[in-house]
Amino acid sequence: MVSAPVAEGAVPLAEVVRGDLVESVHLGHLVVLDAAGEVVLARGEPTTVIWPRSSLKPVQAVAMLGAGLDLPSEQLALAAASHDGTPRHVDVAREILAGAGLGPQALANTPDLPLDPAAALAWQAAGHGPDRLTQNCSGKHAAMLATCVVAGWPTDGYLDPGHPLQRAVRAAVADLAGPDGAEHATVDGCGAPLFSTSVVGLARAFSRLVAAPDGSAGARVVAAMTAHPELVAGERRDATRAMRAVPGLVAKDGADGVYAAALPGGAALAFKVLDGASRPRPAVLAAALAAAGASGVAGADGAALAALADSPVLGGGRPVGAVRATFAADDRCAEGAA
């Protein structure tokens, strides 16, 4: 039998209700930190070590800026994105490459179709197949290549874990996530090296990003993401909707049920849905944001936050149930420093 430490201590984060019965349950781990880094809500085991997947992209972007990369705001937002592959997303990825004197052929990410269904249909109707530019991580890869150019590092082999770029990324993960950051390494779906964090370490990293001093790499990444949330994800994606609902919020989804977010005051959250499903993420995100105090942020749109939590279950094309979080903001309780 294969050991699965990630499953140890997992608890329900969300349940799927159809009619008057709970149809299925999503287990996982979740933590909410206050601005001082204290745990105010924990579900499951927040110290569980996970692969943070694309939720790590803002940290990777910090490492690139630290190595000398300097991008305009829109391009920096795409560097931290899991984008939809729309024409605008593709254009910005091209701009990053062109600014470094490179073309799309330099990319080494995994080719894929756009995530957005309409964009994917239009791309294929134009006679195209899976492509590196339309793959959701092309902004990150374009920025990685641009970092190599400005730092004087070779662009060939930029995805090798021993490349100076990836060593810088690993150091940034360890610095921002804390002592449990970057203990393990593997390869992400796009082909880039991926470094582990704990659930609480991921939340800690996002808290440190929003608390970074003006002009720092962290502050620049946060400013770019919050200014261009549609580039970080897409018009209909929950990360974009959440950032539009709460001024100054940074939110980043990741594959296999991962999410991280931080409010402008420094409160932060992270969670991992154990079965890797994306279905419960909006409801869990909305409940965790409520526990973090999102409604108290100046300019927060309460209706938009409520809409984020609205995840209907359909029967015959009409709502017959809902996906709902199994915890609420008033479940907050001090559980000690993380």
Side-chain angles (χ1 to χ4, degrees):
M1 179 178 293
V2 177
S3 174
V6 72
E8 295 176 6
V11 301
L13 296 183
E15 57 189 17
V16 181
V17 179
R18 183 181 296 273
D20 60 353
L21 294 176
V22 172
E23 185 171 33
S24 51
V25 177
H26 295 281
L27 307 180
H29 309 283
L30 175 144
V31 68
V32 177
L33 306 177
D34 64 15
E38 298 291 321
V39 175
V40 296
L41 175 64
R43 300 283 291 171
E45 296 292 341
T47 58
T48 299
V49 175
I50 61 168
W51 297 119
R53 304 301 298 270
S54 284
S55 290
L56 202 62
K57 284 177 178 173
V59 177
Q60 292 169 314
V62 165
M64 290 185 254
L65 293 180
L69 182 66
D70 186 13
L71 294 177
S73 183
E74 287 192 355
Q75 295 179 21
L76 184 53
L78 199 78
S82 298
H83 64 73
D84 268 351
T86 66
R88 185 180 178 207
H89 292 134
V90 171
D91 286 346
V92 176
R94 289 185 188 275
E95 290 168 4
I96 297 172
L97 291 168
L102 300 170
Q105 69 277 4
L107 293 168
N109 55 313
T110 307
D112 203 354
L113 294 170
L115 288 180
D116 180 74
L121 181 60
W123 181 257
Q124 292 175 93
H128 305 300
D131 194 281
R132 299 186 196 278
L133 272 173
T134 53
Q135 195 264 346
N136 76 89
C137 301
S138 66
K140 177 183 78 174
H141 282 256
M144 285 183 168
L145 286 163
T147 303
C148 292
V149 170
V150 74
W153 297 331
T155 54
D156 288 343
Y158 75 94
L159 297 184
D160 189 307
H163 191 284
L165 169 68
Q166 302 304 338
R167 293 203 303 267
V169 170
R170 188 166 196 166
V173 176
D175 179 53
L176 288 170
D180 51 14
E183 285 187 85
H184 305 268
T186 187
V187 180
D188 211 340
C190 65
L194 174 65
F195 305 108
S196 65
T197 68
S198 64
V199 176
V200 71
L202 183 59
R204 186 185 300 123
F206 270 63
S207 179
R208 289 172 173 172
L209 284 178
V210 299
D214 290 345
S216 67
R220 291 174 62 193
V221 171
V222 168
M225 293 176 68
T226 55
H228 307 287
E230 75 286 351
L231 291 178
V232 176
E235 290 295 336
R236 291 177 292 276
R237 298 263 296 281
D238 42 80
T240 295
R241 292 165 58 206
M243 286 191 282
R244 285 177 170 166
V246 184
L249 170 70
V250 173
K252 185 68 193 73
D253 52 347
D256 269 78
V258 180
Y259 231 112
L263 297 172
L269 65 96
F271 62 85
K272 161 70 177 177
V273 178
L274 199 62
D275 61 6
S278 59
R279 174 173 63 175
R281 292 190 318 188
V284 175
L285 175 63
L289 285 172
S295 62
V297 174
D301 185 337
L305 284 170
L308 184 67
D310 185 14
S311 301
V313 171
L314 302 181
R318 62 182 179 85
V320 295
V323 181
R324 63 192 186 195
T326 58
F327 60 95
D330 55 9
D331 291 332
R332 286 168 51 113
C333 60
E335 300 196 17

